[in-house]
Amino acid sequence: MKIKNYTFFFTRAGILCFRFIFLAGISSAQNTQVGIPWTGAYGITQTVQQIMAQDTAQAAYTGNVIIAREHETHLHKSNNPDAPNVSRYPVGAGNPDEDTRSSVPTQAIGASFLAAAISNTVGYIPPDCNGAAGPAQILAVANGRIRVFSKAGVLGSLDVTTDAFFTSVRNGSSISDTHIRYDRLSAKWFVVAINVANTNNRVVIAASSGPTITNASSFTFYYFDFTLVSPAGDNGKFLDYPTFGVDANALYIGGVRFDPNNFNGCPVFVVRKSSVTGVGPIVVTAFRNAGGTSSGIYVPQGVDNDDPAAAEGYFIGTDAGVYSRLNIIRVSTPGGTPSITTLSPITIPTNNNPVLQYHQGAAANRRLDGLDDRLFAAHIMKNKLTGVSSLWTSHATKVNNVGTASGTMDRNAARYYEIGNLTTTPTLLQAGTQFDGAATNPRGFWISSIAMTGQGHAVLAYSTAGTASYVNAGASGHYSVDAAGLLQGYSLATASSTAYNVQATDGQRWGDFSQVVVDPTDNMTLWTFQEYCNATNSWGVRVFSLRAPAPPPTASLNALPFVGISPSNPLSVVASSTPNNTGFFDPGADAGGPGFANHITASTTGGITMNSVSFVDPTHVNLNINTSAASAGTYTITITNPDGQSTTISITVVSALPVELISFNAAIDGDACVLSWSTASENNNDFFAAEKSLDGNTFEECGRVGGAGNSLVMRNYSFTDKNPYPGVSFYRLRQVDFDGATAFSRVVGVSFDRNDFFLINAHADFENQSVIIFVNDNANETIDYRLTDVPGKTLCTGSVAASKGINTFSISCKDLSRGIYYLSLAGSTKIISGKIFY
């Protein structure tokens, strides 16, 4: 073991310093602890109107600041010798600057408004800014005040001090360190904070009655003295800096413990969610030794996860004794009797504690506090296009002019991490750093957080300042097409023109929280809550949204074929390109959950009605339109993504289709393939072109057959392809009018190798929520099928009767989210497999 010096600071009315000596040891072995659920008091329910009536005696801000009760720990850590000294991870094979990066700037800022300022409180610093987005509202908090707004920034019915809000459970002590989450699974707002009793303080929790906050709606309030939760302990100590995450089963609250002013480790608490969504009583499980004073998890962040199927919960944090290391705690059975498992640490790129942050207009020795290397928030999100879930988190570090934590580290950087394989062995997928590479007077980025949308786009948001830059709020984007670890350039959401000199100390309090959330209605829009200097010697909490890329523009959409007057006309809208990261999107069915309010939609002009809209992928949307009430002519179809951004495409309705195709088939004749088809009527039909393909996607012409021009009687056609591909060939017809207009038939496949058992093709049928499978068999037999997800979990199994030759059958895919799946088929002689993009 090594002897390490640790320095601790805490502030009450001022700043005091203590120095201690600890033995530092590092353990990487996994260990599991089984918890003991503890039952507390029933909840206390109050309407918003009653809560507002309690806010009667709050003093106004007089210009004198009040330093929130806060302890700080500054740990002297050792370096991780295995940490790569890079600004991003993994680094590409070539020059990192040449790796793939979208040419599009960071997502555009949408709504933006000031949620609170120091003048709205009695003068608290720091603001501990936090908030969340609900279906129609924004709930934001700063130390001293909680407020609800419309998404346009209009103040709503709740505007009250945090002390008044938590009056029923705060036991006479003031409230601090407030966190807010909107939980779309229960359609409730959760608010978590601590009271600041000197010792044995409380964790307080509020749960809303529903998704919309009005005068008539209510909150139910709960609390627990952190020392009394089983196993009882920590008497005389203080729980500081609570963190908060919520998922389908529990609320996850981490903290930093002091004895009563000296750092004493990091406990975690699991609150049974079902116990705080009604009247109670609250049920809590404590794990008092989750993190130690010299090793293990430090400032454990409870992790948010809106997956309805989530069965495990998580805490994530840095390490108390070693830089460049993340620690993850997995919580099993979080909704019952929880147990925690400390997983093996994850090595990350080199990091260090931030430096004190320079800012424009600062008086001598009045830099801003950079805190330490703690994480500020964490969330798990499922990428709806791949079906893969990952954990995203962020913190600040001091770096040099190339963004690495080595050499002359003279600036602050915001760094993010994406962690994958959560249910097995978590691994670092990527890490990226927002830093300024200027040789002198660099801009700093700190107090950061990050979140990813269902599309796979992410935003890192933070405070930013420099010797020539006032303190502002900003953000950087990471698009799903960007190479791992790459960020777009930063965008400022504010334009501060004033200096911040509130405290006459070097290391003025700043922070301590930062939050980015995904809009629960569309899984596309991101909202963030960041601190900046909104006026001279004033902090402000800025709420701003970042809009997702729009659907593909009209110019990128392939022309639609003419349609006749009919109650059912299937159409496939295809984007040939996606400039500026544009794309279609739908959040999906949300199996087991409440669903999303907004989905991809389509509308038309004229007498056309929309039968159905089906999202396929970012470049494909399937439509079915009813033209029975329409006249011949050209109309506009508008396709709108869940976030309200839209694109248009034209559709032409004709009184009669050029060709009414009755059938189209392909059959083997020796070494050739005979195509046969029939038409019921033809109008202006020049010819049919037979086309073939190896994969069913890329086709080439293999012959032509002349059309009848105009006909009202059934006609039969055939074409023989004497050179089919070996194995499987796919065929389709391209019908061409005299004026050059074209239309395509369905695709059919044939196999010239009937003495083998192989998968021809498999694809999703989104309209019917099933998977269509084409398989060639060499015998009449029963085929067993199995569908699994990427981690290997079996989703469905079954058997089908197959005959010799090409077989087609479907597997029901109801309740499956979009993503990648693996199919295995077992015949009598062998097992075959394939990948399906659903």
Side-chain angles (χ1 to χ4, degrees):
M1 291 197 184
K2 274 188 171 179
I3 299 290
K4 285 288 179 184
N5 287 328
Y6 290 73
T7 304
F8 302 94
F9 295 82
F10 75 92
T11 57
R12 196 171 293 172
I15 299 179
L16 301 177
C17 302
F18 293 86
R19 185 176 301 275
F20 295 88
I21 305 296
F22 288 92
L23 291 174
I26 298 171
S27 173
S28 61
Q30 294 190 10
N31 64 83
T32 298
Q33 303 176 47
V34 178
I36 304 171
W38 169 89
T39 301
Y42 284 88
I44 300 171
T45 300
Q46 294 180 309
T47 66
V48 170
Q49 187 172 11
Q50 289 172 327
I51 294 168
M52 292 288 291
Q54 295 170 167
D55 192 13
T56 57
Q58 183 66 24
Y61 176 52
T62 62
N64 297 316
V65 299
I66 297 177
I67 301 173
R69 170 69 183 266
E70 201 80 43
H71 301 67
E72 291 187 27
T73 61
H74 293 271
L75 306 179
H76 293 179
K77 303 182 183 183
S78 63
N79 292 318
N80 183 347
D82 298 324
N85 189 33
V86 295
S87 64
R88 68 182 185 86
Y89 176 89
V91 177
N95 185 331
D97 295 333
E98 296 174 353
D99 284 347
T100 304
R101 186 197 303 268
S102 169
S103 61
V104 185
T106 290
Q107 291 92 315
I109 294 174
S112 179
F113 58 90
L114 178 66
I118 195 171
S119 58
N120 301 131
T121 72
V122 296
Y124 283 114
I125 59 171
D128 291 348
C129 53
N130 209 267
Q137 294 174 307
I138 299 294
L139 187 59
V141 69
N143 263 345
R145 184 158 294 272
I146 183 169
R147 287 174 150 181
V148 69
F149 297 86
S150 72
K151 288 185 176 177
V154 178
L155 186 62
S157 56
L158 180 65
D159 178 14
V160 67
T161 65
T162 49
D163 280 359
F165 183 75
F166 280 112
T167 289
S168 62
V169 289
R170 63 184 175 88
N171 201 29
S173 296
S174 291
I175 292 296
S176 185
D177 294 21
T178 311
H179 292 272
I180 296 173
R181 300 291 187 271
Y182 178 75
D183 174 41
R184 72 175 190 86
L185 302 182
S186 63
K188 291 180 180 292
W189 300 88
F190 288 101
V191 187
V192 168
I194 56 171
N195 75 351
V196 290
N198 286 335
T199 60
N200 299 16
N201 60 318
R202 289 182 174 184
V203 175
V204 293
I205 300 170
S208 71
S209 56
T212 305
I213 299 172
T214 67
N215 280 330
S217 61
S218 63
F219 284 86
T220 301
F221 296 89
Y222 306 86
Y223 74 92
F224 62 89
D225 178 334
F226 89 99
T227 66
L228 298 182
V229 178
S230 301
D234 296 330
N235 184 49
K237 299 178 183 179
F238 180 82
L239 183 71
D240 199 9
Y241 203 85
T243 70
F244 180 35
V246 61
D247 66 11
N249 307 292
L251 280 60
Y252 304 89
I253 300 172
V256 182
R257 183 177 57 227
F258 289 84
D259 184 18
N261 298 311
N262 307 323
F263 175 52
N264 188 247
C266 294
V268 300
F269 302 88
V270 181
V271 180
R272 187 179 298 170
K273 185 175 172 182
S274 62
S275 74
V276 291
T277 53
V279 297
I282 187 172
V283 178
V284 188
T285 302
F287 298 92
R288 301 191 177 279
N289 300 313
T293 57
S294 57
S295 66
I297 197 166
Y298 175 63
V299 189
Q301 283 285 340
V303 179
D304 291 312
N305 185 1
D306 78 336
D307 186 351
E312 299 171 330
Y314 296 90
F315 292 91
I316 186 170
T318 54
D319 194 271
V322 181
Y323 288 120
S324 313
R325 174 177 289 172
L326 295 181
N327 291 298
I328 294 179
I329 292 174
R330 180 183 293 141
V331 183
S332 300
T333 325
T337 300
S339 62
I340 65 169
T341 301
T342 301
L343 306 180
S344 298
I346 299 174
T347 293
I348 57 176
T350 53
N351 82 281
N352 211 298
N353 285 336
V355 297
L356 295 180
Q357 180 60 52
Y358 287 98
H359 55 107
Q360 186 175 358
N365 296 321
R366 292 201 188 182
R367 294 172 295 176
L368 300 176
D369 185 12
L371 291 180
D372 52 24
D373 72 338
R374 69 189 63 184
L375 304 176
F376 289 107
H379 93 140
I380 294 170
M381 176 59 71
K382 178 179 289 186
N383 185 317
K384 299 294 185 176
L385 304 179
T386 65
V388 177
S389 295
S390 58
L391 187 157
W392 295 73
T393 189
S394 172
H395 64 171
T397 177
K398 63 183 175 184
V399 298
N400 55 27
N401 64 340
V402 294
T404 63
S406 62
T408 304
M409 296 177 284
D410 59 352
R411 64 204 68 195
N412 287 328
R415 180 173 290 164
Y416 78 87
Y417 306 98
E418 182 188 11
I419 311 295
N421 304 315
L422 295 171
T423 60
T424 53
T425 303
T427 55
L428 178 63
L429 301 180
Q430 63 170 310
T433 308
Q434 177 61 63
F435 69 97
D436 188 347
T440 59
N441 298 326
R443 177 185 287 274
F445 306 87
W446 83 115
I447 316 289
S448 63
S449 54
I450 191 169
M452 183 194 78
T453 69
Q455 289 180 289
H457 304 318
V459 162
L460 176 72
Y462 35 70
S463 291
T464 176
T467 55
S469 306
Y470 294 109
V471 191
N472 278 294
S476 307
H478 173 83
Y479 292 105
S480 61
V481 298
D482 289 338
L486 289 182
L487 286 163
Q488 307 303 313
Y490 69 87
S491 294
L492 296 181
T494 56
S496 178
S497 60
T498 54
Y500 189 86
N501 291 290
V502 172
Q503 291 177 273
T505 184
D506 195 18
Q508 299 181 81
R509 293 300 310 278
W510 196 261
D512 288 331
F513 303 150
S514 174
Q515 191 69 35
V516 183
V517 299
V518 183
D519 196 297
T521 64
D522 58 30
N523 210 359
M524 300 178 70
T525 305
L526 289 154
W527 293 86
T528 185
F529 304 79
Q530 302 298 330
E531 182 182 4
Y532 73 110
C533 182
N534 69 305
T536 300
N537 293 337
S538 172
W539 55 254
V541 177
R542 174 62 53 167
V543 179
F544 59 99
S545 66
L546 294 116
R547 305 183 72 190
T554 300
S556 298
L557 303 180
N558 294 342
L560 292 173
F562 293 177
V563 297
I565 297 176
S566 169
S568 177
N569 294 277
L571 300 170
S572 180
V573 179
V574 179
S576 57
S577 62
T578 54
N580 300 328
N581 295 324
T582 53
F584 298 116
F585 179 69
D586 189 88
D590 193 38
F596 293 88
N598 299 349
H599 290 273
I600 195 166
T601 60
S603 59
T604 60
T605 58
I608 301 174
T609 57
M610 191 65 55
N611 291 330
S612 64
V613 183
S614 178
F615 168 77
V616 180
D617 58 42
T619 59
H620 296 81
V621 172
N622 289 336
L623 310 175
N624 190 290
I625 61 174
N626 181 347
T627 57
S628 299
S631 302
T634 300
Y635 302 90
T636 298
I637 296 175
T638 300
I639 303 173
T640 304
N641 267 352
D643 66 346
Q645 299 185 81
S646 61
T647 189
T648 60
I649 188 171
S650 296
I651 181 68
T652 299
V653 178
V654 295
S655 57
L657 284 174
V659 171
E660 184 180 355
L661 193 66
I662 298 175
S663 63
F664 174 53
N665 297 290
I668 296 172
D669 185 7
D671 293 330
C673 181
V674 177
L675 306 180
S676 58
W677 64 97
S678 300
T679 64
S681 63
E682 299 178 34
N683 179 32
N684 198 33
N685 180 25
D686 187 3
F687 64 89
F688 297 96
E691 297 182 342
K692 65 181 176 180
S693 170
L694 274 169
D695 59 7
N697 293 312
T698 303
F699 286 85
E700 65 176 4
E701 186 176 317
C702 58
R704 292 189 178 185
V705 175
N710 297 290
S711 172
L712 294 175
V713 298
M714 188 176 75
R715 291 182 176 270
N716 300 312
Y717 296 89
S718 68
F719 171 78
T720 300
D721 179 18
K722 296 182 179 180
N723 298 294
Y725 296 121
V728 177
S729 292
F730 294 94
Y731 290 92
R732 72 180 182 186
L733 294 176
R734 177 167 54 91
Q735 182 270 320
V736 183
D737 289 355
F738 287 117
D739 61 6
T742 63
F744 293 96
S745 72
R746 69 186 181 95
V747 176
V748 296
V750 295
S751 172
F752 285 85
D753 188 0
R754 290 179 175 268
N755 296 317
D756 200 4
F757 175 51
F758 61 89
L759 180 66
I760 299 172
N761 192 14
H763 67 271
D765 178 353
F766 300 102
E767 186 171 348
N768 295 310
Q769 291 190 310
S770 62
V771 170
I772 309 301
I773 298 170
F774 299 86
V775 63
N776 188 82
D777 206 343
N778 57 357
N780 298 325
E781 62 176 346
T782 297
I783 298 175
D784 298 322
Y785 64 81
R786 180 184 301 273
L787 193 67
T788 61
D789 59 14
V790 172
K793 179 182 177 181
T794 298
L795 303 175
C796 62
T797 60
S799 299
V800 294
S803 58
K804 186 174 182 180
I806 296 177
N807 296 266
T808 304
F809 60 92
S810 65
I811 294 175
S812 175
C813 283
K814 292 181 180 178
D815 298 331
L816 285 182
S817 58
R818 298 183 183 278
I820 300 173
Y821 296 92
Y822 294 96
L823 172 72
S824 66
L825 303 173
S828 59
T829 58
K830 67 177 182 180
I831 299 175
I832 56 177
S833 62
K835 185 184 293 185
I836 298 174
F837 295 89
Y838 188 89

